[in-house]
Structures are given as structure tokens and as C-alpha cells.
């Protein structure tokens, strides 16, 4: 005769008192409270950071439309009227127009050269295995850690011996060499995330390596190109050390050099409104580029993680 063992009676069924330690504890309200506290703290830090970043920019733009008396008399008040003559004075009298054109030429040429050469080198390092692949890759990575201050003196003599001192194209070549290590490092990791099946299908259809790169792989890497292009644009637009050493011709100076000259000259003249107008002129292209391409920058930075 088979017997089945009956399960042990629950404390409530057996009449035994339920101990507090045996009762289930609902920890969800505590977790919610901790989550809310952490959420409020993180949002508070972000708001504080945004205020610290935005407030000086807004104050600089507001000050650029004031006259000199209002700048010192009521620095935090709104301008009584918009003094557009400050901008006209900085653009013409302080030669900001010439500095701006020189900067556009230098940064535009160096940015195109950096993206073309950097993407080609990164594609080869990411897609092809050959002797010395990792060695060349780590050379580019090591180039990011090399301080530019240590290379200024030998770089000056190299550029001078090549006849490129005080020239726009000489400064473009130096900017390209300065920006290539980070570009190759960034794009190599991005090209590794792209599917290889698309390139293999192009090879099967008879496409060459050059056609596959420029017509298939490069358009697929557009988010990465935009992201690294924005970073290079910011670094090259705000570059001051290299043009100061390699570009001493007053007619070919870039915007950062022009701002320093403007600060010195306007400081002696007391034309602080013109100085702030020139500062905002140099700042607006950077802000505009980031506002226009901010979505592409985020996509490029997260593309590897999403794939």
C-alpha cells in the first residue's frame, strides 16, 4: 500500500504564529524612492552644468550689442538697443573678415584632407590583415599621446626647409598631420563594426577595392565621418599654438591669432564692445556646426555599441 507524504502545514494552517522574519518584504517602494533621489540628483547636476556653460555664452552675446559705458555700468542688464556698429567695427577695422577667410581656407582644406586620408588608412587597417598591421595602428594611437609642444621646434625647421613657412597650404598640411592619429583611431573602430557581407558582394560583382571603398563602404561610414569631422573641426578651428609658430605673416593669420591681436589692440583703445563682437564672431561657427550635426554626432558615437 502506497502512502503519500502530505506537505508540511503552513504556519497559518497549523495555527502557529507567523514570525516577522518569515513574512515577505516588499522592497519596491524603497527602490522607487532611491531611484527618484538618484534621478533628481543627476538632473540637478545636468541643469547646473548647463547653466555654467550657457550663461557665459549668453552674456558674451548680450555684451557684444552694448556700448562700452553699459558694459562697465550695468554688465548684467540687457542692452538699451542693439549696437550693430560693434560688429561692423570688428569686421572691418579689426580685420576680422581677413582672419575669418584665412581660417575657413585652412580648416576647410585640412578637414577634407584629414577625412580622406584618415578614412582610407582606417579602412585598410580595419579590413585587411598584413604584416605590420597592428604596428602601424599602434603608431597612430601613440601619435595621440605625443605632446605637440615637444614638436614645435623641429616642426618649425622642417616646415621652413620645405619652403612652407607662413603659407596657407603649409598650415593645412601640418593640421592634417596633427589630426590624423585621432581620425585613424576613431574610424578604424567604426569600420570594424560595418558588415563585411556588403563588401564581399561588391567583390563578387566585379567591383575593385577602390570602387568598393568610395561607393559602398564610405557612404555606410557617414555617421562616423560626421562625428570625427566635428571633433576635428572644433580642434582645428580653435588651434592657436601651431599657427602662432608656423604662420607669422600678418596677412595670413587665422582667427585665433586675430582674436589675440584684437584683444591687445582693443584693450589699449578701450573698445571692449568691439572685442566682444569679435569673440562672438569666432564662436558662432562652432556653435552652429554642433547644433546642425548634433544628431549625427550622437549616432556616430553610439553606432558601434548599437551594432
Amino acid at each position: 500500500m502506497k502512502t503519500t507524504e502530505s506537505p508540511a502545514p503552513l504556519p497559518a494552517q497549523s495555527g502557529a504564529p507567523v514570525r516577522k522574519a518569515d513574512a515577505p518584504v516588499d522592497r519596491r517602494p524603497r527602490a522607487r524612492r532611491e531611484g527618484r533621489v538618484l534621478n533628481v540628483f543627476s538632473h540637478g547636476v545636468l541643469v547646473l552644468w548647463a547653466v555654467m556653460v550657457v550663461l557665459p555664452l549668453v552674456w558674451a552675446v548680450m555684451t557684444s550689442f552694448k556700448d562700452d559705458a553699459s558694459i562697465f555700468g550695468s554688465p548684467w542688464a540687457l542692452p538699451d538697443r542693439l549696437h550693430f556698429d560693434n560688429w561692423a567695427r570688428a569686421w572691418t577695422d579689426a580685420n576680422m573678415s581677413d582672419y575669418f577667410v584665412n581660417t575657413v581656407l585652412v580648416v576647410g582644406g585640412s578637414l577634407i584632407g584629414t577625412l580622406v586620408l584618415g578614412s582610407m588608412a582606417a579602412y585598410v587597417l580595419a579590413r585587411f590583415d598584413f604584416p605590420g598591421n597592428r604596428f602601424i595602428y599602434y603608431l597612430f594611437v601613440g601619435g595621440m599621446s605625443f605632446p605637440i609642444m615637444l614638436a614645435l621646434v623641429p616642426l618649425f625647421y622642417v616646415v621652413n626647409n620645405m619652403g612652407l613657412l607662413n603659407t596657407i597650404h603649409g598650415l593645412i598640411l601640418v593640421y592634417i598631420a596633427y589630426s590624423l592619429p585621432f581620425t585613424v583611431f576613431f574610424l578604424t573602430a567604426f569600420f570594424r563594426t560595418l558588415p563585411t557581407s556588403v563588401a564581399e558582394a561588391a567583390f563578387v560583382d566585379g567591383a575593385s577595392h577602390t570602387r568598393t571603398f568610395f561607393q559602398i563602404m564610405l557612404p555606410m561610414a557617414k555617421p562616423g565621418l560626421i562625428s570625427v569631422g566635428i571633433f576635428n573641426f572644433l580642434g582645428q578651428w580653435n588651434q592657436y599654438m601651431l599657427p602662432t609658430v608656423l604662420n607669422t605673416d600678418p596677412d595670413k593669420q587665422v582667427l585665433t591669432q586675430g582674436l589675440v591681436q584684437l584683444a591687445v589692440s582693443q584693450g589699449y583703445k578701450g573698445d571692449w564692445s568691439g572685442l566682444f563682437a569679435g569673440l562672438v564672431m569666432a564662436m558662432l561657427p562652432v556653435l552652429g556646426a554642433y547644433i546642425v550635426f548634433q544628431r549625427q554626432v550622437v549616432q556616430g558615437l553610439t553606432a558601434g555599441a548599437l551594432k
Side-chain angles (χ1 to χ4, degrees):
M1 181 176 179
K2 296 181 179 181
T3 59
T4 58
E5 296 181 358
S6 59
L10 298 174
Q13 293 176 344
S14 61
V18 180
R19 293 181 300 174
K20 189 174 183 180
D22 297 333
V25 178
D26 189 4
R27 292 184 173 87
R28 287 177 296 179
R30 182 178 178 181
R32 292 196 194 99
R33 288 195 299 270
E34 292 178 353
R36 284 195 295 267
V37 172
L38 182 61
N39 196 20
V40 171
F41 176 76
S42 60
H43 281 74
V45 172
L46 290 177
V47 171
L48 180 61
W49 178 260
V51 171
M52 293 174 60
V53 172
V54 174
L55 187 60
L57 298 179
V58 175
W59 181 77
V61 174
M62 182 179 64
T63 307
S64 66
F65 291 103
K66 292 182 177 182
D67 55 4
D68 294 333
S70 300
I71 291 176
F72 291 98
S74 53
W76 298 106
L78 294 175
D80 53 353
R81 64 181 181 87
L82 299 180
H83 296 268
F84 289 102
D85 55 324
N86 300 338
W87 290 61
R89 201 165 55 252
W91 184 258
T92 56
D93 298 345
N95 298 324
M96 291 296 293
S97 58
D98 298 335
Y99 301 142
F100 196 90
V101 172
N102 293 337
T103 305
V104 170
L105 292 176
V106 172
V107 175
S110 60
L111 194 60
I112 294 174
T114 301
L115 292 180
V116 172
L117 296 177
S119 60
M120 294 171 65
Y123 176 74
V124 172
L125 293 175
R127 292 293 181 174
F128 298 97
D129 292 327
F130 56 88
N133 181 300
R134 304 305 297 172
F135 176 73
I136 297 175
Y137 173 74
Y138 286 120
L139 278 181
F140 281 107
V141 174
M144 294 190 300
S145 60
F146 189 80
I148 193 61
M149 294 287 295
L150 298 180
L152 287 178
V153 175
L155 185 62
F156 174 84
Y157 285 106
V158 169
V159 175
N160 187 29
N161 293 333
M162 296 176 64
L164 299 176
L165 196 65
N166 297 327
T167 60
I168 296 295
H169 53 281
L171 202 57
I172 290 176
L173 292 178
V174 173
Y175 275 21
I176 292 175
Y178 173 77
S179 304
L180 269 180
F182 172 74
T183 304
V184 173
F185 170 76
F186 187 95
L187 291 180
T188 299
F190 192 87
F191 275 118
R192 286 173 180 166
T193 65
L194 299 181
T196 58
S197 58
V198 180
E200 293 173 353
F203 292 144
V204 171
D205 292 338
S208 63
H209 289 287
T210 303
R211 185 176 181 181
T212 301
F213 171 72
F214 283 103
Q215 294 187 359
I216 297 176
M217 303 305 295
L218 202 60
M220 293 176 61
K222 182 180 176 181
L225 291 174
I226 293 178
S227 298
V228 75
I230 290 296
F231 291 132
N232 285 328
F233 172 76
L234 296 178
Q236 294 173 3
W237 186 273
N238 297 321
Q239 181 61 241
Y240 175 70
M241 188 65 65
L242 289 175
T244 300
V245 176
L246 305 175
N247 185 28
T248 57
D249 189 353
D251 296 332
K252 298 176 182 178
Q253 289 183 343
V254 295
L255 202 56
T256 50
Q257 295 174 284
L259 282 177
V260 173
Q261 296 294 331
L262 180 62
V264 174
S265 61
Q266 302 300 76
Y268 284 114
K269 295 177 183 178
D271 189 5
W272 297 99
S273 56
L275 176 60
F276 276 99
L279 176 65
V280 176
M281 285 181 189
M283 182 176 59
L284 286 181
V286 177
L287 293 177
Y290 185 78
I291 291 174
V292 172
F293 296 105
Q294 60 177 337
R295 182 174 300 177
Q296 287 82 356
V297 171
V298 175
Q299 290 177 356
L301 292 175
T302 59
L306 293 176
K307 293 182 180 181

